[in-house]
Amino acid sequence: MIVSIKADIFNNDKNSSDLSDLMHFFKKGRHRMNLRKIDDFSAFENSQWKQTLSRSDIDFLKEGMTIVDKKEIIVSESPSDSEFRIKEAYCYLQQPLSIVVENYEYEPVFINCIFRNFGNELITAKDRHWLKFENGGGASDNTIKGMIKELFNDTVFTKSKEKYLRCYIIKDSDREYCTINQDDTISIKKLPEAKFRFLKDMQIPYHILYKREKENYMPDSVYNNFLQTANKNDKKKEFSRIYLEFNAHQKDFFDIEKGFSHKGRLKNRKSLQADVQTLFEKLKDGKDLNDRQYTLIGSGLPFPNLKSDFSEKFNAVNRNDLEKRIEHQPLLRSEVNPADQNERNEFEHIINEIKYLL
C-alpha cells in the first residue's frame, strides 16, 4: 500500500518510534511511503526522525515517493473517518491481505495457478505472509461478518470496523447458462443481489467469477490428456470426447461435477430450465447433442474427489492454455482503482486488483 504521511506526524517528535515501526514495512518492500504535498516533504526534511535515519534509508524512502500505483492510506494527527492515526495505521498495515474464497481446501490451487501464470510476485507475497487465503464458508458472507464482529476491538481502532478490513473476496457465479443471441453476442444471466449486496454496502472489494465455478476454467489440454492417457474403458475418455465438442459458452456454464443430474439421477432433458435446454441443444459443429451423448456426459466428469483431486490439474497448466479458456470473455476495468481505465482479461484483472490492494 501507499502510506501518505502528513506534516503533523513529522512535526510531533513523539512519533519517531512509531515512524520507525512503519519504516520496517517500507524497507521490506511491503508498503511504500509517500509525501503528498510540499509541506509534508518539508516537515519530513526537518523532522527529528529523519536525523535518526542512515543516508541509504533516506535515499530509499525518496526513491519510492513517486510510486503511487497502490491503494493509499493517509496518516495524520487529526481524527478523521478517512485518515489514520499513526498507531492505527500500523495495526492496519500489519494485517496480511486476506483473499477470501468459498472453500479454503479446494479453491487456493486455482487462485495460485492464476498467481503463478499472471503475477508470480503474489506467490512471493503469500510466502512472506503479506497475503493469505481465508475460508469464506461457501457463498455466504459469514466469514466477513465474523471478522467485523470479532476483530478491531482495541481502543486504537476508532472507525467503523469494516474500514479496517484488508480483504478481497472471490466468489463463484453459479451461473447455469448464458443466452447466445442471433447476432452471436452473449447475454449473461443477472446475478441475485444477495450474492454481492452485503459486500457492496460495506465497500469490501470483491470479484465474482464469470464462469459457473473454478472447474469451468480448466483448459482443454487437460481433457485432451484424458483422451491420450485414460484406459480404453475409462469413462473420463468418453466424457472428454463429448465435452471437447462443446462450444466455449457451454463449457463456461456446464456443471462439471454433476452434469445434468440431481442427487445422482440424470434429469429428463425436458425438465431442464428452458434456457439451459437451449444452450445445450447443439454442439459447436451445429449437430444436435443426441440422447446418447446427453446420457454419457449427464452424470458429470467421473473423477473421484473431483473438488480436490481434479482441481490439482491446475498445477500443471500454462498461461497460454488458461488464456484460451477466457479469450471470448468480456474485458474488465478495475473496481478498486477508479483512476485505472485499462481493460484486462479476467485473470489479469484479478491480479491487478490484488496487487493494488496489497
Side-chain angles (χ1 to χ4, degrees), residues 246-302:
F246 279 178
N247 63 45
H249 310 295
Q250 292 168 327
K251 292 173 185 174
D252 287 346
F253 304 110
F254 180 71
D255 191 332
I256 304 295
E257 181 181 19
K258 298 176 182 178
F260 300 114
S261 300
H262 178 66
K263 294 184 177 180
R265 297 187 65 179
L266 182 64
K267 296 178 182 179
N268 185 294
R269 293 181 77 162
K270 293 182 179 180
S271 72
L272 301 176
Q273 290 184 63
D275 292 299
V276 175
Q277 288 186 53
T278 299
L279 178 61
F280 292 96
E281 185 177 10
K282 295 182 181 294
L283 300 170
K284 66 182 178 182
D285 61 3
K287 294 180 180 179
D288 290 343
L289 177 67
N290 63 45
D291 290 343
R292 177 181 175 277
Q293 292 168 324
Y294 178 84
T295 299
L296 287 173
I297 205 166
S299 296
L301 177 63

Side-chain angles (χ1 to χ4, degrees), residues 178-217:
C178 69
T179 301
I180 304 175
N181 303 313
Q182 289 187 346
D183 61 357
D184 289 330
T185 60
I186 303 299
S187 297
I188 298 298
K189 180 183 177 182
K190 186 176 180 180
L191 296 172
E193 282 209 358
K195 189 172 280 287
F196 57 81
R197 174 52 57 193
F198 173 76
L199 300 176
K200 202 165 188 176
D201 289 345
M202 294 292 103
Q203 297 184 315
I204 297 169
Y206 66 90
H207 176 74
I208 297 178
L209 296 174
Y210 175 87
K211 303 184 192 299
R212 184 171 187 148
E213 50 195 345
K214 74 177 188 305
E215 288 83 9
N216 296 88
Y217 291 86

Side-chain angles (χ1 to χ4, degrees), residues 1-11 15 18-19 22 25-26 31-36 40 43 71-93 159:
M1 296 189 78
I2 300 297
V3 185
S4 292
I5 303 176
K6 296 180 74 171
D8 56 5
I9 293 290
F10 295 116
N11 290 335
N15 290 326
D18 291 322
L19 283 166
L22 293 181
F25 293 141
F26 306 146
H31 304 295
R32 297 193 185 103
M33 186 178 84
N34 182 50
L35 304 180
R36 307 177 89 205
D40 299 337
K71 181 177 172 65
E72 178 193 48
I73 68 163
I74 301 171
V75 185
S76 170
E77 289 277 83
S78 304
S80 164
D81 197 47
S82 61
E83 297 181 358
F84 288 70
R85 292 184 182 275
I86 191 165
K87 290 184 182 296
E88 188 181 27
Y90 178 83
C91 293
Y92 175 73
L93 294 166
K159 310 183 200 316

